[in-house]
Amino acid sequence: MSGNVTSKQLLDHYARKVYADAAAAKAVGKPVGWSTAIVPQEFFETMDLPLVYPENHSAVISARKRALGFLERAEGYGYHADVCGYMRVNFGYLLEGARGDDDVPPAPVPDFVVCCNNYCTMIVKWYENLAKELGVPLFMIDMPYNPEGAVDEARVRYIRAQFDRLVGRLEDLTGRPFDRERFRRVMEISRENARLWKRAFELVGHVPSPANGFDFYNYLTLMVFMRGRAETTEVLRLWIREMEGKIARGEGPFRDAAEKFRIMFDGIACWPQLAHTAKAFRSYGINITGSNYPDGWAVQYETGDLDGMARAYASIANNMSLEKAVEKRVEIIRQGRCDGAVYHMNRSCKVMDFTTYEAQRRVFAETGVPYITFDGDQADPRVFVAAQFDTRIQALVEMMEAREESER
Amino acid sequence: MSGENRIRAILTGLAAVAARPGEAAERLKREKGKPLVGVLPYYAPEEIVHAAGMLPVGVWGGTADASMAGHYFPPFACPLVKSTLDLALRGVYDGLAAMIVPALCESLTFFGQNFRAARPGIPFVPVVHPQNRRTPEGVAYLRAEYERVRDRLAEIAGREVTAADLDRAIGVFNDHRRAMRAFLEEAPRHPSLVSPRVRHAVAKSAYYMDKADHGALVGELTGLLKSLPEESGAGKRVVVTGIMAEPEGLLDLFEEVGLEISADDLAQESRAFRTDVPDGGDPLERLARRWSLVEGCSLAFDPGKERNRILLDLVRNSGARGLVVLMIQFCDPEEMDYPLYRKELDAAGVPVLHLEVEPRMSLEQARTRLQSFAEMI
């Protein structure tokens, strides 16, 4: 694509194409997989095996306000309303016949599923159930939690051996040999995309920020779906150029208002109430300039270094100790030059929630940046209470103003 | 003492231990003169504690108000870890030489992190099991984890832990598991002596006694029970599944409505005793291989969902008329298994009762539901 296309338009184009391509592959009898979001996609890209990501699929459905029907379907089947909303939407979608429409992307029923538990534990149960219910093979890539905040050698050896095993299983699945040369190229592209993704975040940290609100959650789609592809490099480069242009012109995130406050948004977006939360932020001139969430996809390693790759994938912030979680957030707040922090107590995501209270106390002690917590969910619209959110944001604004005042 | 009196004496002793775990642990420490190490669920290598000359004690939460834990956990956290953290904050575990915390679910993983933050004075010994547990690389990784646990415990105990120490400890624990399995098989034949509450007490007391002592008592108990004629039970048999059969009082309701427990699939009971450490070679590797052999547990990676079949077999082979699911609140692994085994049991015509349990639950509601289930099956 060329001409005056914006990175956003290009992103939308590719995001749609991913589902269409998977459906087309399925139609001609090519195996299609479903995968967790931060999987070593390099292996599948190399083997030219299309992957669809149920978490992204559920997020899209939730943002388009279609989750409730699927949630209720899964709950009727026996899934407790306490478990992950993405998972319930996903099973609801399957139970409803896995059909797409204008709001629901047409994710084809998979021929295999891929699970990597480097940011979530319960996801193993999700994928076990998919494998059993659909009668398809499950490629489990286990990356044990790092309670001491470091990926030790025993873990690296274990993960490396799983990579080798995976290659063999993929060769069996496709009947084709694993192309090492192509693998190197995919690693190179993935590495470049991770570098660009990090670079984009540095630009988001500029004052005023060239990025707007939940912008980077949109670009994240690319990092989930196409981290190993040149198309992603194209979009990220364009996005970076656009942001550099805005910085050069001194333009902020909002057309009609100044960027008054900058915050770190901790956790996944509250997709069903995206419009409400974005509008509330904007009404106070609040912009999001940092988040722990997109950071997970900046997987960095040297091309050809499989041990490094194992270590990088196992070092996702969710898979590390409380101390590392605090360190990461302090870094995000500093890089994003944040005035405040908003912690989403996301009912679905126990990994992110269960150390939030202690983490936020420590982050505050280190940065002095005021924070609030609100209750919501990444998929289930029944959890969020608008009045609570609005009141807490108002309180945060007052705290940020008071801090600004005292520092003057 | 007659056989039946001796049985009652043993059961009364074990029931007292199960009813007051804290006091039992204190007594254990005093009588044995050995340091105690707290062990959270599930599948921790307790043998290593024993080999290091210390004694493992189970840490399974409590029923007290868990308000202090709200400083760390949101309201929708697992009650087991929440109440455990609360007890930790109240200083209940301060006398322990260490705390071993496996990371088999999110609740336990982040309990570990919160516990270390809240009680830095108690040595924290995490252990993270592999999920690809049946491959050589999975076993090798877990062996390395156990090696780290061994070195840490040796340091705490201030002594070396040799292969011979480990082999001896494995022997003690395997003997204990065998004794427990024999008891659990014999128990349903004697419902008037071994009520659901008593059955649970025998299993639970194992966590607060020296395994060798507990195994010997349970062995004697089973022998005495075997010498008695089998009772023709008046109750209806059920299998129970879940994490644990608590709070206290819950199992009394079974007896009250005429339900007998023919077998269990509880993490605190049968799942803990089902799998022995295999024979042969390096003891740490044998311990790691035990994890490969675990079957049908919500905490152990199982893409084939063996648990569905295991539950159906348990019901059929133990002559049960139905399955009671004791679903501890906010337990993702258990909640995720439920729809699938439920579907298979429904298809096989096995009645299932799903009962949500938590430490401060209303027993009144549970009574009504158990009552109607007992009438239905």
Side-chain angles (χ1 to χ4, degrees):
Chain A
M1 286 179 103
S2 60
N4 292 326
V5 178
T6 66
S7 66
K8 193 75 187 299
Q9 286 166 330
L10 209 49
L11 162 73
D12 289 343
H13 166 74
Y14 286 132
R16 249 189 286 275
K17 194 168 171 295
V18 156
Y19 286 104
D21 286 354
K26 178 87 181 176
V28 298
K30 214 168 146 182
V32 172
W34 278 10
S35 171
T36 57
I38 319 183
V39 77
Q41 46 75 30
E42 291 84 343
F43 296 98
F44 299 88
E45 191 67 50
T46 302
M47 292 303 267
D48 200 20
L49 286 165
L51 295 180
V52 169
Y53 296 83
E55 289 154 80
N56 173 276
H57 190 246
S58 294
V60 171
I61 290 171
S62 306
R64 293 182 184 160
K65 300 191 183 302
R66 288 286 300 279
L68 195 56
F70 294 123
L71 290 165
E72 286 174 346
R73 186 76 169 82
E75 287 157 22
Y77 188 69
Y79 285 110
H80 202 291
D82 288 334
V83 289
C84 172
Y86 280 175
M87 184 282 297
R88 278 177 287 140
V89 169
N90 188 230
F91 276 97
Y93 170 78
L94 276 175
L95 290 163
E96 287 288 332
R99 277 185 303 270
D101 58 33
D102 288 348
D103 295 327
V104 178
V109 176
D111 303 291
F112 64 93
V113 292
V114 189
C115 178
C116 182
N117 55 347
N118 50 351
Y119 59 95
C120 173
T121 308
M122 74 76 62
I123 211 155
V124 177
K125 304 300 294 180
W126 176 354
Y127 277 71
E128 265 182 9
N129 287 13
L130 282 176
K132 176 72 179 174
E133 296 271 56
L134 300 171
V136 297
L138 163 53
F139 301 110
M140 176 72 214
I141 307 165
D142 180 29
M143 300 206 177
Y145 181 74
N146 304 292
E148 315 279 9
V151 184
D152 62 25
E153 281 313 306
R155 283 168 164 77
V156 172
R157 277 197 300 276
Y158 171 47
I159 296 166
R160 257 307 292 278
Q162 294 180 71
F163 287 170
D164 296 341
R165 191 178 291 278
L166 178 65
V167 166
R169 288 186 71 191
L170 292 182
E171 287 178 333
D172 290 346
L173 178 79
T174 58
R176 286 183 274 120
F178 189 74
D179 181 344
R180 297 275 161 191
E181 202 31 58
R182 180 161 186 204
F183 184 53
R184 276 189 73 86
R185 285 199 301 278
V186 172
M187 282 175 108
E188 190 56 47
I189 294 170
S190 306
R191 202 170 84 98
E192 173 64 1
N193 288 339
R195 190 190 67 78
L196 291 170
W197 186 242
K198 262 239 161 322
R199 171 71 188 138
F201 270 88
E202 284 161 21
L203 294 177
V204 170
H206 192 273
V207 182
S209 176
N212 170 356
F214 288 99
D215 255 5
F216 47 73
Y217 281 82
N218 295 321
Y219 289 92
L220 186 61
T221 308
L222 282 177
M223 292 305 278
V224 174
F225 268 99
M226 303 165 54
R227 201 152 27 89
R229 292 202 207 153
E231 293 95 311
T232 301
T233 318
E234 179 193 359
V235 181
L236 290 176
R237 283 195 178 138
L238 183 55
W239 184 35
I240 287 171
R241 270 207 304 282
E242 288 166 358
M243 287 199 287
E244 283 169 343
K246 285 181 86 176
I247 290 171
R249 294 189 297 275
E251 288 172 20
F254 310 127
R255 263 193 218 120
D256 47 354
E259 179 185 75
K260 209 160 166 235
F261 300 106
R262 299 157 63 91
I263 58 158
M264 171 180 79
F265 187 89
D266 196 84
I268 300 174
C270 203
W271 296 117
Q273 279 89 14
L274 190 65
H276 183 96
T277 50
K279 208 171 136 201
F281 285 147
R282 187 186 285 232
S283 73
Y284 287 107
I286 295 175
N287 191 25
I288 301 171
T289 56
S291 174
N292 66 318
Y293 184 57
D295 198 77
W297 282 266
V299 183
Q300 290 172 308
Y301 54 82
E302 295 299 318
T303 302
D305 175 13
L306 279 163
D307 281 2
M309 186 176 161
R311 205 173 281 114
Y313 273 103
S315 306
I316 305 301
N318 277 7
N319 211 33
M320 302 302 265
S321 63
L322 172 64
E323 288 73 16
K324 290 280 178 188
V326 171
E327 235 172 70
K328 178 59 77 189
R329 280 158 182 80
V330 169
E331 183 192 316
I332 288 164
I333 284 177
R334 290 195 173 136
Q335 184 184 304
R337 299 189 212 178
C338 301
D339 310 302
V342 171
Y343 291 85
H344 179 192
M345 189 51 79
N346 176 359
R347 195 69 164 67
S348 276
C349 189
K350 290 170 180 162
V351 169
M352 294 199 196
D353 298 335
F354 281 3
T355 47
T356 292
Y357 292 156
E358 180 63 10
Q360 61 188 192
R361 282 191 291 269
R362 292 187 183 191
V363 171
F364 176 72
E366 196 128 327
T367 61
V369 165
Y371 64 91
I372 56 108
T373 308
F374 76 96
D375 298 308
D377 194 86
Q378 62 201 27
D380 194 330
R382 297 165 295 190
V383 181
F384 179 83
V385 180
Q388 186 215 47
F389 179 80
D390 296 350
T391 321
R392 302 233 167 130
I393 295 303
Q394 197 185 345
L396 179 69
V397 168
E398 285 165 15
M399 288 188 282
M400 291 192 291
E401 279 170 344
R403 185 161 179 260
E404 208 178 66
E405 195 67 28
S406 71
E407 283 179 358
R408 227 172 248 162
Chain B
M1 199 186 279
S2 77
E4 213 157 305
N5 283 346
R6 177 63 186 147
I7 289 172
R8 287 188 202 281
I10 294 174
L11 290 176
T12 308
L14 296 180
V17 169
R20 302 248 178 283
E23 284 172 24
E26 276 306 313
R27 192 168 56 245
L28 180 65
K29 189 177 174 180
R30 215 172 38 241
E31 286 173 4
K32 299 284 174 183
K34 289 180 177 178
L36 303 184
V37 172
V39 181
L40 271 99
Y42 312 84
Y43 306 104
E46 293 179 72
E47 289 87 343
I48 304 178
V49 178
H50 201 271
M54 303 189 283
L55 291 169
V57 287
V59 177
W60 291 83
T63 50
D65 164 48
S67 58
M68 280 171 81
H71 198 55
Y72 291 88
F73 280 118
F76 50 89
C78 152
L80 195 160
V81 299
K82 244 176 112 168
S83 62
T84 302
L85 190 66
D86 205 86
L87 293 169
L89 286 163
R90 291 171 201 277
V92 169
Y93 304 122
D94 284 359
L96 295 176
M99 191 74 108
I100 300 183
V101 187
L104 281 165
C105 65
E106 270 138 18
S107 303
L108 280 168
T109 302
F110 297 105
F111 165 84
Q113 298 295 305
N114 284 325
F115 171 77
R116 182 172 57 176
R119 270 285 178 268
I122 306 173
F124 165 61
V125 185
V127 52
V128 187
H129 293 73
Q131 289 298 354
N132 276 324
R133 60 205 172 89
R134 289 178 174 157
T135 59
E137 61 266 24
V139 173
Y141 158 72
L142 186 57
R143 192 202 174 282
E145 272 295 275
Y146 286 175
E147 195 173 295
R148 195 178 43 72
V149 171
R150 180 199 64 191
D151 293 348
R152 187 90 175 90
L153 290 175
E155 186 192 318
I156 291 164
R159 53 166 280 189
E160 202 191 343
V161 180
T162 65
D165 294 330
L166 285 165
D167 280 329
R168 260 194 305 277
I170 289 171
V172 170
F173 277 71
N174 272 351
D175 286 348
H176 179 258
R177 291 186 193 105
R178 269 191 289 275
M180 280 307 301
R181 290 199 296 271
F183 165 74
L184 292 170
E185 205 182 312
E186 186 60 27
R189 300 189 182 107
H190 312 276
S192 67
L193 284 165
V194 190
S195 66
R197 170 197 270 267
V198 166
R199 184 185 182 283
H200 168 62
V202 173
K204 187 181 174 185
S205 56
Y207 291 93
Y208 309 99
M209 289 175 66
D210 185 324
K211 289 288 184 295
D213 297 345
H214 190 265
L217 272 181
V218 171
E220 186 190 348
L221 175 65
T222 308
L224 290 167
L225 285 172
K226 279 188 169 162
S227 69
L228 298 177
E230 179 172 346
E231 292 174 34
S232 52
K236 294 173 176 174
R237 290 177 161 197
V238 290
V239 169
V240 288
T241 186
I243 298 296
M244 58 201 285
E246 298 216 351
E248 209 188 326
L250 179 64
L251 287 174
D252 292 337
L253 302 179
F254 280 67
E255 204 179 349
E256 213 180 296
V257 305
L259 292 177
E260 291 169 8
I261 293 177
S262 58
D264 81 84
D265 171 56
L266 298 167
Q268 195 185 29
E269 302 186 21
S270 281
R271 280 191 226 165
F273 309 123
R274 217 146 58 186
T275 316
D276 285 338
V277 176
D279 289 337
D282 169 58
L284 287 177
E285 193 187 316
R286 292 165 63 199
L287 282 171
R289 280 197 286 125
R290 177 180 182 232
W291 177 235
S292 323
L293 300 174
V294 167
E295 274 193 330
C297 174
S298 59
L299 285 316
F301 179 54
D302 177 17
K305 292 280 173 185
E306 285 297 301
R307 187 174 181 193
N308 302 354
R309 176 191 56 80
I310 287 173
L311 284 174
L312 193 55
D313 286 351
L314 267 185
V315 170
R316 284 182 172 153
N317 300 340
S318 71
R321 296 197 197 183
L323 176 77
V324 179
V325 181
L326 302 177
M327 185 65 78
I328 190 167
Q329 245 188 343
F330 307 122
C331 179
D332 283 355
E334 286 290 314
E335 287 174 349
M336 287 295 292
D337 273 359
Y338 171 72
L340 275 67
Y341 66 71
R342 169 92 205 216
K343 192 166 77 171
E344 292 212 11
L345 289 168
D346 281 350
V350 175
V352 177
L353 173 68
H354 178 284
L355 206 57
E356 192 160 283
V357 297
E358 54 111 2
R360 298 162 83 80
M361 67 188 282
S362 149
L363 291 178
E364 279 315 308
Q365 242 175 37
R367 175 183 285 115
T368 315
R369 302 207 44 217
L370 282 164
Q371 178 80 57
S372 27
F373 188 66
E375 283 163 12
M376 186 190 89
I377 60 172

